[in-house]
Amino acid sequence: MRYVSTRGEAPVLGFNETLLAGLASDGGLYVPETWPNVPHGDASTSFAERAAEIMAPFVAGDVPHSVLLRLCNEAYSTFRDSRVAPLREVGKNRWLLELFHGPTLAFKDVALQFIGKVFDHVLQERGQRITVVGATSGDTGSAAIDGVKTCSNVEMVILYPKGRISEVQRRQMTTVAAPNVHAVSIDGTFDDCQDLVKAMFNDAVFRERHQLSAVNSINWARVMAQVVYYYTAIEQLHAVESSPVSFSVPTGNFGNVLSGWIARRLGANVGNLIVGSNTNDILTRFFETQTMTTASVVATLSPSMDIQVSSNFERLLFEMNSRDGRATARQMVDFRTRGTLTATPDQFGTWIRPMFRGHRCSDDATLEMISRTHRELGILVDPHTAVGLVATSACADPDEPVVTLATAHPAKFADAVERATGTRPSLPEHLADLLSRPERSAELPNDLAAVKRFVAGVSATR
Ligand SMILES: *Cc1c(COP(=O)(O)O)cnc(C)c1O
């Protein structure tokens, strides 16, 4: 498979190069040159085997199938539930897809456990070392760190917004003892952290000198790995031949829901895609007004969605422009400079209205949903999952089968869950002593030069 940039100017690459590049050199995001057809499979196949089958066309020419299967088996053996992404019925036509059984308790493990394995494989094969630089609104950092902490060819620098992530999220990054892992708190928001990372990537000399690579959700391999559970959920519901299954996705960067769109594009029996936002509702406003307008970020109870620039939307925008990289680049540059992007009525009618629904959810509504789910079903859900559930009840018909993605374990956001229910969820056994482990973190200002100096220092240590 070959990959092209959404802005049309960067070189066309194979899978391995795309994996290592992260962001394309023209500032765009890599997408497959063509969308293959990926048929539904058998519900009795293991998650790892299905993952290898579904991802095979996307790594074709670069990773042999037997290797891919081994990497998937290794990646998904770290999950506490052998089904990896089990479904739980929560009402008539309603299910939760539990994506939080990985090592760091959030859905990002599904992609990042795989990425760690595939990075290790590709780098060893090429005899290459890289510095992974990423920004996190909380969950990406810990999931990325856990994914690559044993990769001997990777140094990792993760920027997180100081004081804007939960204690569990922070400790999952700062208590990892691996010498190749560097957690850095930045005096700013998640968008500031993401901008710092993008600026480093856009400096071609710096990027080349320090062999930078990204594991943010802009990395194609993450989007690809997330496609798998849309397929397996439909297969587990035995809904391959029946009415399409809609998915409700609590969304920040548009990464997870984009994977749902891709699953649909590849042939999975996906119905509507319901996008749940918190107060940071740029996507919901876009669905309402056809115009995307940035606003400032507000801290909420679902911090992993406290994002106002949904980077992965660019991949859908590329499709909305009939894969015209120039047009996409123009729109994105406009968006960056003027802060607004408007879809044409045609684009909106073809790409958005027929399948996307959006709903914004306040912190109060989030707490009320956590409380109600506990009261009525005896289930504790985390605030992000609750946003998804609120969006489901607001946007779905009663007879529409809907799977809401449960993106984090409740114990990861224990304060909010306790506030809503009076019950404090406990951490799974492997993290039981997290709050007493020693922390290690650097602190830097929201300043590009300072962050570059730090990254240069880290990449020089190897
Ligand atoms: C990252 C994250 C999200 C948002 O996912 P995107 O891919 O950025 O849309 C939602 N919930 C949780 C728990 C997360 O960690």
Side-chain angles (χ1 to χ4, degrees):
M1 177 65 78
R2 285 149 44 99
Y3 289 85
V4 297
S5 165
T6 51
R7 301 201 188 173
E9 301 281 333
V12 175
L13 303 178
F15 172 78
N16 287 352
E17 296 280 354
T18 301
L19 171 78
L20 297 178
L23 197 68
S25 58
D26 57 3
L29 308 184
Y30 275 108
V31 288
E33 194 167 43
T34 55
W35 295 113
N37 189 280
V38 178
H40 269 293
D42 191 335
S44 65
T45 311
S46 76
F47 186 90
E49 282 174 87
R50 275 305 280 145
E53 286 169 5
I54 292 163
M55 294 194 284
F58 296 102
V59 304
D62 279 45
V63 184
H65 193 76
S66 58
V67 174
L68 180 63
L69 182 59
R70 174 173 58 78
L71 299 177
C72 289
N73 275 320
E74 285 172 13
Y76 297 117
S77 67
T78 62
F79 279 60
R80 293 182 309 285
D81 189 302
S82 61
R83 296 164 296 175
V84 181
L87 279 170
R88 180 165 189 170
E89 193 165 358
V90 289
K92 188 167 182 296
N93 286 320
R94 299 289 182 266
W95 295 267
L96 282 177
L97 182 62
E98 296 182 350
L99 300 173
F100 52 72
H101 295 291
T104 73
L105 315 181
F107 86 94
K108 295 184 173 77
D109 285 327
V110 178
L112 285 161
Q113 286 295 308
F114 171 73
I115 286 213
K117 302 301 172 203
V118 75
F119 257 133
D120 220 17
H121 165 74
V122 171
L123 291 171
Q124 256 172 36
E125 200 176 61
R126 296 159 62 112
Q128 195 180 337
R129 306 179 65 100
I130 55 170
T131 307
V132 166
V133 179
T136 185
S137 56
D139 294 333
T140 303
S142 52
I145 286 171
D146 200 279
V148 309
K149 68 185 179 193
T150 58
C151 297
S152 47
N153 299 314
V154 179
E155 290 289 328
M156 168 150 234
V157 178
I158 290 286
L159 312 183
Y160 64 92
K162 184 179 174 182
R164 289 172 187 256
I165 63 176
S166 79
E167 183 176 10
V168 169
Q169 287 180 316
R170 187 190 71 241
R171 285 181 162 275
Q172 282 184 310
M173 295 191 277
T174 58
T175 61
V176 174
N180 63 332
V181 166
H182 310 271
V184 181
S185 82
I186 295 290
D187 208 351
T189 65
F190 168 66
D191 285 337
D192 293 331
C193 295
Q194 189 154 260
D195 284 345
L196 288 166
V197 171
K198 280 196 173 168
M200 281 186 277
F201 273 89
N202 286 334
D203 178 341
V205 175
F206 185 82
R207 171 183 170 159
E208 185 60 31
R209 177 174 309 146
H210 302 293
Q211 293 283 293
L212 296 195
S213 187
V215 294
N216 273 18
S217 67
I218 53 174
N219 192 306
W220 162 253
R222 276 187 64 182
V223 175
M224 171 183 81
Q226 291 165 183
V227 169
V228 174
Y229 47 72
Y230 288 90
Y231 270 87
T232 59
I234 294 167
E235 289 154 13
Q236 284 177 70
L237 290 174
H238 301 289
V240 172
E241 305 284 343
S242 52
S243 36
V245 177
S246 296
F247 287 85
S248 176
V249 189
T251 302
N253 236 325
F254 203 73
N256 202 358
V257 68
L258 177 78
S259 297
W261 180 85
I262 291 170
R264 194 180 197 269
R265 180 71 186 76
L266 303 179
N269 194 19
V270 173
N272 292 322
L273 292 165
I274 300 168
V275 172
S277 356
N278 61 26
T279 313
N280 301 292
D281 60 345
I282 184 166
L283 286 164
T284 302
R285 283 182 287 119
F286 173 66
F287 296 146
E288 286 166 358
T289 63
Q290 313 191 12
T291 295
M292 204 173 272
T293 312
T294 48
S296 49
V297 180
V298 181
T300 72
L301 294 175
S302 40
S304 300
M305 301 167 15
D306 289 349
I307 292 171
Q308 279 288 1
V309 178
S310 299
S311 308
N312 261 300
F313 185 77
E314 180 166 344
R315 288 188 160 111
L316 183 63
L317 189 65
F318 182 61
E319 306 291 336
M320 291 166 68
N321 283 314
S322 308
R323 304 201 130 217
D324 178 342
R326 280 231 181 114
T328 308
R330 213 162 34 234
Q331 265 177 311
M332 288 309 299
V333 169
D334 259 17
F335 182 54
R336 267 287 161 186
T337 48
R338 275 187 257 154
T340 71
L341 183 162
T342 302
T344 65
D346 222 28
Q347 287 177 322
F348 203 83
T350 307
W351 297 96
I352 304 295
R353 194 173 302 116
M355 63 194 110
F356 286 100
R357 308 276 177 271
H359 186 75
R360 104 179 44 75
C361 176
S362 66
D363 275 354
D364 283 346
T366 306
L367 290 169
E368 172 50 31
M369 181 54 84
I370 298 173
S371 160
R372 196 174 113 198
T373 310
H374 184 237
R375 222 170 36 237
E376 292 177 1
L377 301 166
I379 299 174
L380 292 176
V381 292
D382 100 286
H384 304 79
T385 307
V387 168
L389 288 169
V390 169
T392 300
S393 28
C395 299
D397 293 334
D399 57 359
E400 177 182 358
V402 184
V403 170
T404 301
L405 303 198
T407 50
H409 190 288
K412 199 154 189 178
F413 300 94
D415 290 344
V417 175
E418 184 173 14
R419 196 167 135 195
T421 64
T423 302
R424 192 164 183 88
S426 48
L427 285 165
E429 207 174 330
H430 76 288
L431 291 171
D433 66 343
L434 184 70
L435 298 182
S436 59
R437 292 181 198 165
E439 290 191 79
R440 184 171 61 93
S441 178
E443 267 192 53
L444 292 176
N446 177 18
D447 175 59
L448 182 59
V451 175
K452 276 180 156 172
R453 269 196 303 277
F454 183 86
V455 170
V458 161
S459 91
T461 60
R462 21 171 223 247

